[in-house]
């Protein structure tokens, strides 16, 4: 038992060392430029004109998720750093949109906030704010906790209990980011910095704060092979966005396990960011969506996969054959009419809509084709010839 306690303490200490290394390195990088922490990324130059050089020079990323943002959206930037992405996105979403940057590092937050008013004045609107928190815990507002501690220092077990009660109350009543309040989450080379034991919670938190139908656009570093333990234990490599990287397939699988759908690799750089012991680390940008939950209702819908593949398998393991009328439940039918699936399927609704109150359960446990009579109706017995094509004056018919 004593050895198990020591091992647990050692593991926790290692995790804390990783977090401390990240905090220190990026705190320093907010003061002095560290070129090795970023990859060259081409941004739309017009969006950089209002952003001071100090912010641009101290931005550390590996992609440009702002390309996937639309006007009027509420956007959350995880690990917002110097604020560069937030100020770029602020111009894309416009005055009707909103941008929230979350970062754990006080020097980075100070840099981002330094120009908040002046940039807003130049734009003619103020739609950006920065909040202090951990990206894997989007309920806890660390600045509220700091304020509480300044007024109520912890000097006893009783004080500690009161602090914990305040934290629980704050998380419940004043969460840093509320449930289902965000249209799009972006992040640029940050997820790999989160401690291994917190990564599952990180993806769950992203899912929690997104609205139904919301999406993510994440740029991060991934590895082509699994990172061995001795590299993962190196704080310097970890804080350099190297050894904490997800293996390529595991990165995508993490989104699947968190219930995201429509997961796509938008970009996977050919050139490696770093190569360590033959393992290549490169930038990947992924988009994915929230909102496929719900009951499976039978309303006689069908979809036809257009191709070019002979067949495809969706996120729920259903096989869709090219050209075949595949039966789908009501919610999946609607899902396939929206991004990112729109255009890949021919949607075949029933000739007569089935009212929800008359709809039964749809068996999603198996794949089956939909007979045309199910969508047309069993009693459908229409004969209709086209007069325009084969009329009396036409020479196309015998």
């Amino acid at each position: 038992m004593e050895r198990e306690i020591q091992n647990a303490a050692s593991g926790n200490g290692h995790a804390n060392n990783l977090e401390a290394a990240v905090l220190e390195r990026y705190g320093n990088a907010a003061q002095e430029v560290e070129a090795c922490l970023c990859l060259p990324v081409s941004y739309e130059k017009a969006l950089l004109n209002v952003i001071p050089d100090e912010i641009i020079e101290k931005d550390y990323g590996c992609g440009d998720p702002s390309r996937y943002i639309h006007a009027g959206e509420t956007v959350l930037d995880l690990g917002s750093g110097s604020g560069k992405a937030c100020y770029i996105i602020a111009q894309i979403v416009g005055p009707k949109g909103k941008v929230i940057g979350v970062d754990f590092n006080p020097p980075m937050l100070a840099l981002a906030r330094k120009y908040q008013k002046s940039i807003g004045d130049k734009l003619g609107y103020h739609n950006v704010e920065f909040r202090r928190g951990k990206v894997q815990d989007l309920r806890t507002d660390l600045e509220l906790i700091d304020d509480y501690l300044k007024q109520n220092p912890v000097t006893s077990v009783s004080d500690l209990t009161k602090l914990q009660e305040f934290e629980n109350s704050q998380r419940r009543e004043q969460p840093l980011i509320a449930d289902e309040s965000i249209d799009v989450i972006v992040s640029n080379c940050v997820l790999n910095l989160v401690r291994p034991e917190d990564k599952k919670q990180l993806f769950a938190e992203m899912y929690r704060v997104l609205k139904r139908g919301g999406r993510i656009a994440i740029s991060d570093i991934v590895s082509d092979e699994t990172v061995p333990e001795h590299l993962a234990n190196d704080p310097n490599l970890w804080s350099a966005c190297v050894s904490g990287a997800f293996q390529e397939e595991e990165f995508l699988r993490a989104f699947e396990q968190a219930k995201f759908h429509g997961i796509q690799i938008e970009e996977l750089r050919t050139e490696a960011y770093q190569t360590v012991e033959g393992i290549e680390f490169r930038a990947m940008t992924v988009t994915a969506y929230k909102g496929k939950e719900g009951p499976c209702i039978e309303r006689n819908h069908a979809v036809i996969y257009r191709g070019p593949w002979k067949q495809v398998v969706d996120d729920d393991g259903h096989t869709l054959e090219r050209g075949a009328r595949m039966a789908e439940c009501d919610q999946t039918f609607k899902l396939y009419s929206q991004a990112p699936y729109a255009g890949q399927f021919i949607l075949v609704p029933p000739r007569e809509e089935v009212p929800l109150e008359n709809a039964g359960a749809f068996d999603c446990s198996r794949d089956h084709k939909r007979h045309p009579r199910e969508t047309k109706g069993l009693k459908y017995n229409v004969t209709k010839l086209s007069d325009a094509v084969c009329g009396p004056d036409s020479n196309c018919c015998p």
Side-chain angles (χ1 to χ4, degrees), residues 357-378:
E357 60 268 21
N358 296 338
F362 181 89
D363 183 5
C364 275
S365 65
R366 64 187 181 91
D367 300 330
H368 59 282
K369 296 180 181 179
R370 178 81 74 191
H371 192 283
R373 286 285 175 177
E374 291 183 73
T375 51
K376 291 188 297 186
L378 295 175

Side-chain angles (χ1 to χ4, degrees), residues 191-335:
L191 272 57
N192 67 83
L193 296 172
V194 174
R195 301 183 307 183
E197 63 268 34
D198 293 335
K199 283 180 174 173
K200 185 175 180 179
Q201 181 184 348
L202 163 66
F203 283 83
E205 280 289 84
M206 285 194 284
Y207 201 82
R208 176 184 68 80
V209 303
L210 272 180
K211 297 176 183 176
R212 184 177 177 85
R215 64 192 187 280
I216 59 96
I218 305 294
S219 297
D220 219 274
I221 297 296
V222 296
S223 62
D224 62 347
E225 302 177 46
T226 300
V227 179
E229 187 175 353
H230 71 279
L231 293 182
N233 288 340
D234 186 327
N236 186 56
L237 286 176
W238 191 280
S239 62
C241 298
V242 177
S243 60
F246 286 87
Q247 193 275 336
E248 294 164 354
E249 293 178 46
E250 290 298 322
F251 189 48
L252 300 177
R253 195 167 295 120
F255 289 105
E256 289 181 31
Q257 292 171 348
K259 301 180 183 178
F260 286 95
H261 69 272
I263 303 161
Q264 291 191 102
I265 300 173
E266 300 289 349
E267 181 183 15
L268 179 62
R269 292 213 179 183
T270 303
E271 185 179 350
Y273 160 59
Q274 301 274 5
T275 303
V276 181
E277 297 183 5
I279 302 172
E280 295 180 342
F281 299 84
R282 54 176 43 83
M284 176 188 283
T285 298
V286 172
T287 56
Y289 294 74
K290 171 183 175 176
K292 69 175 182 177
E293 302 91 340
C296 293
I297 300 173
E298 173 62 279
R299 299 184 76 190
N300 295 341
H301 291 303
V303 299
I304 301 172
Y305 170 56
R306 294 177 180 272
W309 309 110
K310 184 176 181 179
Q311 61 182 31
V312 293
V313 180
D314 71 9
D315 287 321
D316 295 314
H318 299 142
T319 300
L320 299 107
E321 300 176 24
R322 181 179 55 207
R325 292 171 180 253
M326 303 302 295
E328 295 294 346
C329 70
D330 184 55
Q331 67 154 342
T332 301
F333 183 81
K334 291 175 181 176
L335 206 65

Side-chain angles (χ1 to χ4, degrees), residues 16-36:
N16 290 335
N17 287 341
L18 294 178
E19 192 168 87
V22 171
L23 196 61
E24 180 181 3
R25 187 163 193 167
Y26 282 84
N28 292 335
Q31 309 297 329
E32 305 232 354
V33 177
E34 186 173 346
C36 66

Side-chain angles (χ1 to χ4, degrees), residues 39-274:
L39 282 168
V41 178
S42 297
Y43 297 92
E44 189 176 333
K45 290 184 179 179
L47 298 176
L48 300 177
N49 291 337
V50 299
I51 304 176
D53 290 341
E54 184 179 12
I55 285 180
I56 294 174
E57 291 168 356
K58 294 172 182 176
D59 171 70
Y60 306 104
C62 58
D64 180 16
S66 70
R67 298 171 187 172
Y68 309 97
I69 305 302
H70 308 305
E73 294 181 320
T74 297
V75 180
L76 172 64
D77 182 9
L78 298 182
S80 50
S82 70
K84 176 181 171 182
C86 290
Y87 293 124
I88 289 174
I89 293 169
Q91 300 169 73
I92 298 172
V93 300
K96 293 184 179 180
K98 182 178 181 180
V99 185
I100 303 169
V102 170
D103 206 280
F104 179 52
N105 197 301
M108 280 293 184
L109 282 170
L111 173 58
R113 288 168 171 165
K114 180 178 178 181
Y115 298 97
Q116 189 172 349
K117 185 178 184 305
S118 61
I119 292 175
D121 289 345
K122 288 179 183 178
L123 294 177
Y125 52 86
H126 296 263
N127 62 351
V128 179
E129 63 176 289
F130 298 97
R131 304 176 186 178
R132 186 171 183 232
K134 294 184 177 182
V135 298
Q136 67 270 33
D137 178 12
L138 296 173
R139 290 189 187 275
T140 303
D141 187 327
L142 294 178
E143 289 182 323
L144 287 182
I145 303 300
D146 275 346
D147 290 342
Y148 175 89
L149 286 170
K150 288 175 184 176
Q151 300 176 36
N152 305 275
V154 175
T155 60
S156 67
V157 173
S158 176
D159 291 340
L160 180 59
T161 300
K162 290 178 181 178
L163 171 63
Q164 291 169 340
E165 290 173 351
F166 175 81
E167 288 178 335
N168 291 335
S169 174
Q170 178 270 303
R171 286 169 54 82
R172 183 176 61 254
E173 299 173 11
Q174 294 178 280
L176 185 73
I177 306 294
D179 293 2
E180 299 187 344
S181 60
I182 303 297
D183 293 311
V184 193
I185 294 174
V186 300
S187 186
N188 196 348
C189 208
V190 171
L191 272 57
N192 67 83
L193 296 172
V194 174
R195 301 183 307 183
E197 63 268 34
D198 293 335
K199 283 180 174 173
K200 185 175 180 179
Q201 181 184 348
L202 163 66
F203 283 83
E205 280 289 84
M206 285 194 284
Y207 201 82
R208 176 184 68 80
V209 303
L210 272 180
K211 297 176 183 176
R212 184 177 177 85
R215 64 192 187 280
I216 59 96
I218 305 294
S219 297
D220 219 274
I221 297 296
V222 296
S223 62
D224 62 347
E225 302 177 46
T226 300
V227 179
E229 187 175 353
H230 71 279
L231 293 182
N233 288 340
D234 186 327
N236 186 56
L237 286 176
W238 191 280
S239 62
C241 298
V242 177
S243 60
F246 286 87
Q247 193 275 336
E248 294 164 354
E249 293 178 46
E250 290 298 322
F251 189 48
L252 300 177
R253 195 167 295 120
F255 289 105
E256 289 181 31
Q257 292 171 348
K259 301 180 183 178
F260 286 95
H261 69 272
I263 303 161
Q264 291 191 102
I265 300 173
E266 300 289 349
E267 181 183 15
L268 179 62
R269 292 213 179 183
T270 303
E271 185 179 350
Y273 160 59
Q274 301 274 5

